[in-house]
Amino acid sequence: MASSHSSSPVPQSNSSDAFFKKEMDVTKRFRPVQSLPDVCPKEPTGNVQGANLCDSPSLVVDQHRWTIFHSKVNLPAALNDPRLAKRESDFFTKTWGVDFVDTEVTPSFYLPQITKEHFALYQQEITPREKVHERCKNICIPKDTFDGTLLHPHDKSRTDLEQVPKIFMKPDFALEDSLTFNAVLPWSHFSTAGGKGNRDAASSKLLQEKLSHYLDIVEVNIAHQISLRSEAFFHAMTSQHELQDYLRKTSQAVKLLREKISQIDKVMCEGSLRVLRLSLTRNNCIKAYNKLKLMATVHQTQPTVQLLLSTSEFVGALDLIATTQEVLQQELQGIHSFRHLGSQLCELEKLIDKMMIAEFSTYARSDLNRPLEDDCQILEEERLVSLVFGLLKQRKLNFYEIYGDEMIITAKNIIKQCVVNTVSQIEEIDTEVVVKLADQMRMMNFPQWFDLLKNIFSKFTIFLKRIKATLNTIRSVVFLVLDKNQKTRDLEDTLQKSSAKDSAVDTEVAYLTHEGLFISDAFGEADLPPVAADTTSQRNASPNSEPCSSDSVSEPECTTDSSSSKEQTSSSVTPGGVEMMIGDDMKLTDLELVRLANNIQELLYNASDICHDRSVKFLMARAKDGFLEKLNSSEFVALSRLMEGFILDTEQICGRKSMSLRGALQSQANRFVNRFHEERKTKLSLLLDNERWKQAEVPAEFQDLVDAVSDGRISLPEKKPAATEERKPAEFLIVEGQKYATVGTVLLLIRIILEYCQCVDNIPSITTDMLTRLSDLLKYFNSRSCQLVLGAGALQVVGLKTITTKNLALSSRCLQLIVHYIPIIRAHFEARLQPKQFSMLRHFDHITKDYHDHIAEISAKLVAIMDSLFDKLLSKYEVKAPVPSACFRNICKQMAKMHEAIYDLLPEEQTQMLFLRINASYKLHLKRQLAHLNVVNDGGPQNGLVTSDVAFYTGNLQALKGLNSLDLNMAEIWEKR
């Protein structure tokens, strides 16, 4: 207790601030040592010195006023704690026990951080006051706190205590410690030797006296301290008796209160609590019974799953496994007897996955390989829906690939079976000699092969319809699951929106529960259904509740039928009328379901592609020996129509174009067009090479053909049965009221042109190719006919002696006939071309121009023939008698022959125009000859002779048929003066 003088009562600050560091001189800094404040401090007396010695509050005087010294434990109680094994040096562990841990106190969020800036205003206010205070201290003489008489005895006691070694003052002083013991009793001064016995005895005695002296000093100081507090000690002893009386009365009151509480507990609470406890125990028993029933049900899971699998109820088996797994994880968790059931159910679920895939493969095989009849009903729709739903439930989203593989195999088998059936019905094919099906197929003629192809296409059409019906059912299941997900999300959104309204009701229920108004619910929980009881128990459960005792009900046990309460199912109907139950355990996202639906739709497109690819291979196998290229027009048109019909049917069924068969048809069509064109061009070439350019009779069938074209039917007429009366051929071809004299080659050319147009109608895909080929054919006819007639090639080719004017006129009229039909052909092709292909029609414009140029060249050739004749005859003309002269008679004779040759071939307008041009040539040559003969229009004899010859020429020319109204204007033969 006396060691408290080691600590200075004045705290020293390390701050350099003048406000916190206040200098004092050495005499002022010394403070007399004060003892530690105790429970019973020294009361102040009348002595001033005693008042100065006792700065602590007095228990007698200030017993009714609380001071800061009431908030601490007295020092003896802290030092004499019997629970501590040894004296700890730490004050807090001595006060609050060994379990006290010094932890860091978290700063309060409600207290601001105080800095020096907060004291700035205070410093500004106190600094002047401090300066005034310092000046006052310097002026006034400070009173010493302790006078010399008071310091003397205190310094003496302090000097005496300093004589006691510090080791005795240590808080961990213990003689059991060898080091401490050796320090207090130095055994090195003692020896057992005989010569030193007296000295050791003296040292021992001296040590004993020293220790006794130390003890006396301590006792004197203790007695001094006790003497200072004697009055307070006796006062405390007196107060102790009063305190014991208060405690005795308090103990009696507490005892009486406890007896009353015990009686109240027995009378009012014990019975009610016992009833509540029994009710909870009954509920626990009921739930334990339900748990045992649930365990018995779970125990029957595997036999039930085996029974469901035996009837292919995969969805029911999976639902049962999922429900059992959920029950095991939530309600039967930790049951030792079911520790292996979860893994067994997982293995069983994997087995069901394999079984479902095998079952779906079997279903696809049986669905696609059943007889291909007109019936397109779905095979066992309920089975298909169950399989698809189970596969979706297990996230086996690639099951459609199995169906796709089966489609490829079935498509091959369809063609093979059709070929086998057809070959078996043909007696000409010996299957023992020709083993391969492809070779057997190549031995068929076109009608047989065509019927086989028609049969294959019809089988493929039914095949695609069945696939479409099956895939539509699968897609409907996928869309039903997608719709269920959407409805579930909408329901969750609705519940979230209504949660704000429910919160007010929950708050009211919680308040009533807190007030104890639902205590009676414990009596009726046993009579409620399990779900209702569970709801009540969950509603009354506190989120911060402690683990319950054996009589209470734990929260997981309150849901004995969680699977039935959590899993919600909805009924949906597929397009086929099959009702299916969709649960909430379909863990598929909308993106996965949409992707799966698109893949299934793509599978239908693939089915169409597969049928087209197999058909293309079938065609190519038959086309190896050039069979398709040898087909005539009608056969190829029939084949093309059949293929086009199949392509349109597949597009209508599947909703997408497949290009493989269309491409094969286009390829064959191009080959057909090439062969078709080459045959027609060769035929035309042979006809032209054998054409003698004489007017041919027009058979009635050609006239009918032309009439049909005039009526707007650009097609070859159907062959009619032989009539009883054969119509005679006509001399001219009548086209829209005009007569056309023509050669046989042009009649056949018109028929060939119509064949081109009809091919375009029958095979629209070859329109552009046919237009190009027809343009080439028309150009070839124009150029070749020009070579043969104008170029006189017919003289060598056919052996004509000369190219007459009749040949020229007939050639011109034939060209005019072709020019007449070019706009009709152009309109026919224009109606069948795409707008972006209209630029190809320019070929007809070029052909029309070439034909008109050719016709003009023929007219010029006719004029040139007469021009050379005029030049020859009029160059020998002499103006003399007789009249008419021989020259003019010869000219009129040639003009008559010319008229006779062309009048029946060319129209009257063209004849008149031609003779006007010939007359102009005649006038030019006559004018030149008259100028040469110096014959002028002077009314002389020579003028009269010329006038007579000209009048003879005019009369003869106008006498020709169709030229009577021709204006010859013969006055132009005279030179104007």
Side-chain angles (χ1 to χ4, degrees):
M1 289 185 292
S3 62
S4 61
H5 66 276
S6 60
S7 61
S8 176
V10 180
Q12 299 295 327
S13 175
N14 294 328
S15 175
S16 60
D17 198 324
F19 175 74
F20 293 100
K21 186 176 180 180
K22 190 174 180 181
E23 294 294 337
M24 296 176 65
D25 33 77
V26 180
T27 59
K28 294 178 182 179
R29 218 184 291 176
F30 175 79
R31 309 283 287 186
V33 178
Q34 298 181 8
S35 62
L36 291 174
D38 205 343
V39 179
C40 301
K42 175 74 175 177
E43 282 85 358
T45 61
N47 190 2
V48 180
Q49 294 180 358
N52 293 333
L53 283 171
C54 186
D55 291 338
S56 301
S58 173
L59 183 61
V60 179
V61 178
D62 300 329
Q63 58 179 342
H64 300 292
R65 184 171 62 88
W66 189 89
T67 62
I68 60 172
F69 297 99
H70 287 85
S71 64
K72 72 175 191 173
V73 183
N74 57 32
L75 189 58
L79 296 177
N80 298 323
D81 189 356
R83 294 175 297 175
L84 298 179
K86 59 180 179 178
R87 307 294 183 182
E88 275 77 3
S89 60
D90 187 29
F91 173 76
F92 296 103
T93 56
K94 287 186 291 186
T95 303
W96 295 315
V98 294
D99 295 331
F100 175 78
V101 179
D102 188 9
T103 59
E104 182 180 356
V105 179
T106 305
S108 175
F109 296 103
Y110 303 100
L111 297 178
Q113 296 292 333
I114 304 300
T115 60
K116 288 185 179 182
E117 284 73 9
H118 291 83
F119 297 96
L121 182 60
Y122 174 75
Q123 289 181 2
Q124 293 176 3
E125 294 177 355
I126 206 65
T127 300
R129 299 180 185 178
E130 184 185 9
K131 293 180 180 178
V132 173
H133 177 66
E134 291 295 334
R135 287 198 300 269
C136 293
K137 285 174 62 178
N138 295 330
I139 297 172
C140 299
I141 300 174
K143 295 182 179 181
D144 194 1
T145 307
F146 303 100
D147 55 3
T149 59
L150 183 61
L151 289 175
H152 177 70
H154 206 75
D155 291 342
K156 181 179 180 182
S157 62
R158 180 179 179 185
T159 303
D160 294 340
L161 284 175
E162 288 179 353
Q163 295 178 9
V164 181
K166 299 299 182 181
I167 191 171
F168 294 103
M169 303 299 179
K170 290 183 178 180
D172 57 349
F173 177 80
L175 291 175
E176 292 84 354
D177 188 3
S178 59
L179 298 177
T180 305
F181 186 81
N182 292 330
V184 174
L185 300 174
W187 292 100
S188 60
H189 295 281
F190 305 101
S191 175
T192 56
K196 297 182 180 180
N198 297 328
R199 193 180 2 173
D200 292 339
S203 298
S204 174
K205 186 176 181 179
L206 180 61
L207 179 61
Q208 185 177 3
E209 292 177 355
K210 185 185 297 186
L211 293 176
S212 300
H213 178 67
Y214 294 160
L215 180 60
D216 294 337
I217 293 175
V218 172
E219 288 179 351
V220 168
N221 280 275
I222 291 175
H224 178 70
Q225 293 294 331
I226 292 175
S227 65
L228 294 177
R229 293 168 175 81
S230 58
E231 294 181 5
F233 177 75
F234 290 112
H235 184 271
M237 292 301 295
T238 304
S239 301
Q240 184 70 19
H241 293 295
E242 295 177 1
L243 182 60
Q244 289 178 355
D245 293 337
Y246 289 144
L247 289 176
R248 184 170 54 254
K249 292 178 182 180
T250 303
S251 177
Q252 292 176 357
V254 170
K255 182 178 180 181
L256 180 61
L257 180 61
R258 285 182 176 180
E259 290 176 355
K260 291 181 180 180
I261 292 175
S262 178
Q263 292 176 359
I264 292 173
D265 181 55
K266 290 180 180 180
V267 174
M268 301 184 65
C269 299
E270 185 175 354
S272 300
L273 290 176
R274 184 171 179 273
V275 172
L276 288 174
R277 188 178 297 109
L278 291 176
S279 176
L280 293 177
T281 303
R282 180 175 178 272
N283 288 339
N284 288 340
C285 292
I286 292 174
K287 290 171 183 177
Y289 171 71
N290 292 334
K291 191 76 69 176
L292 291 174
K293 287 173 59 179
L294 183 61
M295 292 175 63
T297 304
V298 170
H299 184 65
Q300 296 296 322
T301 297
Q302 287 181 320
T304 307
V305 169
Q306 295 293 341
L307 181 61
L308 291 173
L309 293 180
S310 64
T311 58
S312 298
E313 290 290 339
F314 300 106
V315 178
L318 289 172
D319 289 338
L320 180 57
I321 290 175
T323 303
T324 306
Q325 291 277 26
E326 184 178 359
V327 170
L328 287 174
Q329 292 176 2
Q330 294 184 0
E331 302 181 21
L332 299 180
Q333 188 174 10
I335 303 299
H336 186 70
S337 59
F338 290 151
R339 63 186 184 279
H340 299 305
L341 183 58
S343 59
Q344 292 173 359
L345 292 178
C346 290
E347 293 298 327
L348 191 59
E349 191 172 0
K350 294 179 181 178
L351 177 62
I352 292 176
D353 291 347
K354 296 179 181 179
M355 292 178 64
M356 282 194 302
I357 292 175
E359 184 73 13
F360 185 79
S361 178
T362 303
Y363 174 84
R365 194 177 300 110
S366 59
D367 177 52
L368 296 175
N369 291 324
R370 55 186 168 140
L372 291 170
E373 299 174 354
D374 294 337
D375 184 16
C376 297
Q377 295 295 326
I378 302 174
L379 179 66
E380 300 180 16
E381 184 176 1
E382 294 182 359
R383 177 186 173 193
L384 174 62
V385 170
S386 176
L387 283 172
V388 173
F389 188 71
L391 291 169
L392 292 178
K393 186 180 181 69
Q394 295 302 107
R395 300 181 62 84
K396 301 297 180 182
L397 303 183
N398 59 344
F399 64 90
Y400 63 89
E401 297 177 358
I402 300 173
Y403 200 84
D405 297 338
E406 290 296 332
M407 287 192 311
I408 297 174
I409 298 173
T410 305
K412 294 180 180 178
N413 293 335
I414 288 174
I415 294 180
K416 183 178 180 180
Q417 190 62 37
C418 290
V419 174
V420 170
N421 294 338
T422 304
V423 169
S424 63
Q425 297 175 1
I426 300 176
E427 298 179 355
E428 293 81 2
I429 301 176
D430 190 355
T431 56
E432 295 180 358
V433 178
V434 183
V435 180
K436 294 184 178 180
L437 283 177
D439 296 336
Q440 295 174 1
M441 180 190 63
R442 294 188 187 98
M443 296 180 67
M444 300 178 186
N445 54 31
F446 178 77
Q448 295 170 345
W449 181 83
F450 185 78
D451 293 338
L452 173 60
L453 182 61
K454 186 186 296 184
N455 186 26
I456 291 174
F457 284 165
S458 64
K459 298 292 185 184
F460 274 154
T461 302
I462 300 173
F463 176 67
L464 289 176
K465 289 181 179 179
R466 285 185 179 177
I467 292 175
K468 181 179 180 181
T470 302
L471 294 182
N472 283 343
T473 302
I474 297 175
R475 291 181 79 237
S476 66
V477 175
V478 175
F479 283 130
L480 285 175
V481 176
L482 183 62
D483 184 61
K484 173 62 179 177
N485 289 351
Q486 183 65 34
K487 290 181 179 178
T488 303
R489 284 198 304 271
D490 294 342
L491 181 59
E492 290 176 356
D493 295 340
T494 305
L495 292 176
Q496 289 178 359
K497 291 179 181 178
S498 62
S499 61
K501 299 180 180 179
D502 296 340
S503 60
V505 179
D506 293 340
T507 304
E508 183 179 358
V509 170
Y511 172 75
L512 294 176
T513 305
H514 177 71
E515 292 296 324
L517 299 180
F518 284 95
I519 296 178
S520 59
D521 292 347
F523 296 97
E525 280 185 0
D527 299 329
L528 293 175
V531 177
D534 298 341
T535 306
T536 305
S537 62
Q538 291 176 1
R539 181 184 61 192
N540 294 336
S542 174
N544 299 325
S545 60
E546 297 291 334
C548 299
S549 62
S550 60
D551 293 334
S552 63
V553 183
S554 60
E555 185 175 355
E557 293 180 352
C558 295
T559 56
T560 58
D561 196 9
S562 63
S563 60
S564 62
S565 62
K566 288 184 180 178
E567 181 178 354
Q568 307 218 345
T569 59
S570 62
S571 177
S572 301
V573 181
T574 62
V578 178
E579 185 174 358
M580 54 183 290
M581 303 300 293
I582 303 178
D584 289 338
D585 55 349
M586 300 293 292
K587 305 302 181 182
L588 293 173
T589 63
D590 291 353
L591 180 61
E592 291 175 334
L593 291 172
V594 171
R595 187 183 296 114
L596 178 59
N598 293 336
N599 290 335
I600 294 173
Q601 183 63 35
E602 191 68 26
L603 187 62
L604 181 60
Y605 301 152
N606 293 340
S608 176
D609 294 339
I610 289 169
C611 293
H612 283 225
D613 293 341
R614 302 313 303 178
S615 300
V616 169
K617 290 185 178 180
F618 178 77
L619 289 174
M620 294 299 103
R622 190 66 183 89
K624 281 187 177 180
D625 54 353
F627 173 76
L628 299 180
E629 298 178 4
K630 298 176 183 178
L631 299 178
N632 56 37
S633 300
S634 60
E635 292 174 344
F636 187 82
V637 167
L639 176 62
S640 175
R641 287 180 176 177
L642 179 62
M643 295 175 66
E644 285 286 351
F646 176 69
I647 291 172
L648 293 177
D649 290 341
T650 55
E651 290 177 0
Q652 184 178 4
I653 294 172
C654 302
R656 191 179 73 172
K657 295 182 179 180
S658 297
M659 303 307 298
S660 57
L661 186 59
R662 192 182 297 275
L665 176 61
Q666 185 65 38
S667 176
Q668 293 298 326
N670 292 336
R671 296 178 183 178
F672 168 76
V673 168
N674 291 332
R675 181 180 58 81
F676 179 88
H677 177 64
E678 291 299 329
E679 288 179 355
R680 270 65 183 170
K681 189 174 182 180
T682 302
K683 182 179 180 180
L684 180 62
S685 177
L686 292 175
L687 290 173
L688 288 174
D689 290 343
N690 294 309
E691 180 61 57
R692 301 188 68 84
W693 298 100
K694 292 183 179 180
Q695 183 178 359
E697 294 182 345
V698 180
E701 61 180 83
F702 283 96
Q703 185 62 52
D704 294 340
L705 188 66
V706 170
D707 294 341
V709 173
S710 300
D711 295 338
R713 300 190 306 271
I714 304 178
S715 61
L716 296 175
E718 298 180 357
K719 292 183 178 180
K720 299 180 180 179
T724 55
E725 294 182 1
E726 293 184 359
R727 292 184 296 173
K728 294 181 180 180
E731 185 177 0
F732 295 95
L733 184 66
I734 308 300
V735 180
E736 297 180 358
Q738 290 189 12
K739 293 182 178 180
Y740 284 90
T742 181
V743 296
T745 301
V746 174
L747 293 175
L748 294 176
L749 177 60
I750 293 174
R751 184 180 182 88
I752 291 172
I753 291 172
L754 294 181
E755 288 178 355
Y756 276 82
C757 294
Q758 189 170 9
C759 278
V760 170
D761 291 336
N762 296 330
I763 313 174
S765 61
I766 61 174
T767 302
T768 55
D769 291 338
M770 277 297 184
L771 189 151
T772 305
R773 301 301 193 281
L774 181 57
S775 301
D776 179 67
L777 186 71
L778 293 175
K779 290 179 181 178
Y780 176 75
F781 173 77
N782 184 40
S783 61
R784 186 61 178 160
S785 62
C786 182
Q787 292 173 3
L788 292 175
V789 180
L790 281 177
L795 299 179
Q796 291 82 17
V797 176
V798 186
L800 295 179
K801 294 181 180 180
T802 182
I803 301 297
T804 63
T805 55
K806 194 169 186 178
N807 298 137
L808 292 172
L810 187 60
S811 174
S812 175
R813 195 57 175 164
C814 291
L815 292 174
Q816 294 173 21
L817 179 61
I818 300 301
V819 169
H820 173 78
Y821 281 108
I822 288 178
I824 300 175
I825 299 170
R826 176 194 173 101
H828 181 78
F829 276 90
E830 183 176 4
R832 287 152 182 80
L833 287 175
Q834 300 292 332
K836 61 182 180 182
Q837 298 173 337
F838 285 168
S839 60
M840 299 184 66
L841 297 174
R842 68 180 184 276
H843 293 296
F844 293 110
D845 299 334
H846 298 160
I847 292 171
T848 303
K849 181 178 180 302
D850 293 342
Y851 272 68
H852 282 301
D853 292 343
H854 190 183
I855 293 171
E857 289 178 3
I858 292 176
S859 298
K861 182 66 175 177
L862 291 174
V863 174
I865 291 174
M866 297 304 296
D867 184 76
S868 61
L869 178 65
F870 293 151
D871 184 45
K872 179 181 178 182
L873 294 177
L874 291 177
S875 63
K876 299 178 182 180
Y877 174 64
E878 295 179 359
V879 183
K880 61 181 182 178
V883 177
S885 63
C887 176
F888 272 79
R889 284 197 299 268
N890 197 5
I891 288 174
C892 291
K893 182 179 179 180
Q894 295 298 328
M895 293 284 280
K897 288 183 179 180
M898 169 70 74
H899 180 271
E900 182 182 2
I902 67 173
Y903 182 77
D904 293 334
L905 302 179
L906 298 178
E908 185 174 345
E909 295 80 5
Q910 294 184 18
T911 303
Q912 292 177 359
M913 291 299 298
L914 180 63
F915 272 90
L916 283 176
R917 293 177 62 187
I918 293 173
N919 180 60
S921 175
Y922 163 76
K923 290 189 292 184
L924 180 62
H925 285 282
L926 180 59
K927 184 179 181 178
R928 187 182 302 119
Q929 183 65 22
L930 292 177
H932 178 69
L933 296 175
N934 294 322
V935 178
V936 295
N937 188 12
D938 55 356
Q942 288 186 337
N943 180 262
L945 293 175
V946 172
T947 302
S948 299
D949 287 337
V950 170
F952 175 76
Y953 165 79
T954 303
N956 279 278
L957 187 59
Q958 291 181 344
L960 296 177
K961 190 175 181 180
L963 301 181
N964 52 358
S965 61
L966 200 64
D967 184 12
L968 299 180
N969 193 12
M970 296 304 296
E972 294 180 355
I973 63 175
W974 304 106
E975 289 285 345
K976 294 181 180 181
R977 295 182 179 180

